[in-house]
Amino acid sequence: MREKRRLGRSIGLVPTMGALHDGHLSLLKASVEENDISVVSIFVNPTQFNNQEDFEKYPLHIEEDLEKLSKNKCDVVFLPDQGEIYRDKTRLKFHFGSLEKVMEGKFRPGHFNGVAIIVSKLFNIIQPDTAYFGQKDLQQFTIIKLLNEQLDFGIKLRCMPIMREPNGLAMSSRNLRLSSAGIETASIIYKIINKSAELLLTGNSISNVKSFVENEFKNSEARLEYFEIVSLIDMKSIRKIKSGEECALCIAAYVEDVRLIDNTLLTL
Ligand code: AMP
């Protein structure tokens, strides 16, 4: 990579955990359009899993992934093994303050520490000009933005829109673990987010919208873990509607024991 850089080529990086879908490929497409060389990393990062079973069941489809990447103009695939990335038990600890006290940080203790470790390693190894992430992991993007600033990586970060299945379900590698009935059930997540956004925009209070969401989940096969309306700036829960404030409506829910997340952005 240093060699390519010396030759003045721009490098785009798309970090992934594999089992690639059109969401990942949309990030690659943006990288291909904006850079001379596009690198996709595939690494199921153990340190970001707070649940061992989730890690063990994480889908692996390396052959299919490599085929998709070669068809989509990926120049370099970085496919390290565990020992290459973690030579020793890592002792690094990152703290992101209030940013990690809510939502994914609250329900997945240690998750963002693992994300910060792997992203820092990838940034150092690949040294990209630009790195591409998905809005689906919105809180993760906010944390990586802070990491990039605080450690002076100087990398341009791009947050790309959420790609969805025809029924609205956000694409995710974990969807591979759902039955077709589960995929149908999971489609309510996006429907509820959209309806909540509409309720907020038509003057309903935050507590009314939260009750609406809880009731909708009670009447479904999906189990709500959290629903939060947060400020886009600091991911703090919004308690009172301030006109013009940019926020995100974020959900985590379980369907058939698979944990799914989704969000939408809204200006109040
Ligand atoms: P993952 O392999 O799940 O760690 O995701 C790798 C990158 O792809 C992350 O930046 C995700 O936010 C992004 N991503 C995952 N799902 C989607 C999606 N449905 N649309 C767009 N980007 C996504």
Side-chain angles (χ1 to χ4, degrees), residues 15-18 21 23-24 26-27 48 58 132-137 140 160-164 170-173:
T16 81
M17 297 205 296
H21 49 67
H24 297 115
S26 73
L27 309 190
Q48 74 185 68
Y58 203 85
Y132 296 79
F133 298 91
Q135 182 202 311
K136 187 164 86 75
D137 298 278
Q140 168 177 290
M160 308 307 292
I162 303 174
M163 300 293 282
R164 299 182 177 281
M171 288 183 178
S172 164
S173 307

Side-chain angles (χ1 to χ4, degrees), residues 68-256:
K68 285 180 189 167
L69 293 177
S70 75
K71 280 190 184 143
N72 285 276
K73 303 192 178 140
C74 171
D75 300 292
V76 178
V77 184
F78 181 55
L79 190 63
D81 61 32
Q82 300 286 340
E84 252 173 296
I85 295 292
Y86 295 112
R87 288 174 294 277
D88 271 322
K89 189 170 159 41
T90 177
R91 293 185 182 87
L92 291 175
K93 283 277 175 281
F94 289 82
H95 295 284
F96 296 99
S98 60
L99 264 186
E100 61 176 344
K101 298 266 185 313
V102 289
M103 304 194 292
E104 297 304 286
K106 177 173 165 188
F107 287 95
R108 302 184 68 189
H111 170 63
F112 287 126
N113 193 55
V115 168
I117 292 171
I118 188 62
V119 169
S120 302
K121 282 174 176 273
L122 291 171
F123 282 0
N124 275 326
I125 296 166
I126 310 291
Q127 301 191 9
D129 297 280
T130 309
Y132 296 79
F133 298 91
Q135 182 202 311
K136 187 164 86 75
D137 298 278
L138 182 67
Q139 191 177 9
Q140 168 177 290
F141 185 74
T142 312
I143 283 197
I144 292 169
K145 231 167 47 185
L146 184 69
L147 184 77
N148 189 42
E149 282 161 20
Q150 302 250 313
L151 291 181
D152 297 308
F153 281 114
I155 293 166
K156 190 169 154 204
L157 302 180
R158 301 265 279 122
C159 186
M160 308 307 292
I162 303 174
M163 300 293 282
R164 299 182 177 281
E165 301 293 348
N167 71 3
L169 173 63
M171 288 183 178
S172 164
S173 307
R174 289 187 174 85
N175 294 353
L176 291 169
R177 291 174 48 203
L178 294 171
S179 69
S180 49
I183 288 177
E184 210 31 57
T185 302
S187 70
I188 67 150
I189 297 173
Y190 186 50
K191 289 189 188 113
I192 291 174
I193 289 185
N194 271 337
K195 184 69 191 166
S196 304
E198 193 186 310
L199 289 173
L200 280 172
L201 289 177
T202 51
N204 286 275
S205 69
I206 287 182
S207 63
N208 274 353
V209 175
K210 286 197 158 185
S211 308
F212 160 78
V213 172
E214 281 159 20
N215 278 329
E216 289 292 301
F217 273 96
K218 272 184 199 141
N219 296 324
S220 88
E221 299 282 307
R223 178 166 63 81
L224 179 66
E225 185 169 72
Y226 65 73
F227 168 71
E228 293 289 348
I229 302 164
V230 297
S231 151
L232 209 50
I233 296 171
D234 55 13
M235 297 283 124
K236 283 193 180 143
S237 284
I238 291 177
R239 305 202 184 283
K240 261 194 147 171
I241 293 177
K242 267 189 258 148
S243 178
E245 186 165 8
E246 285 191 302
C247 71
L249 279 59
C250 305
I251 280 185
Y254 283 88
V255 176
E256 296 176 338

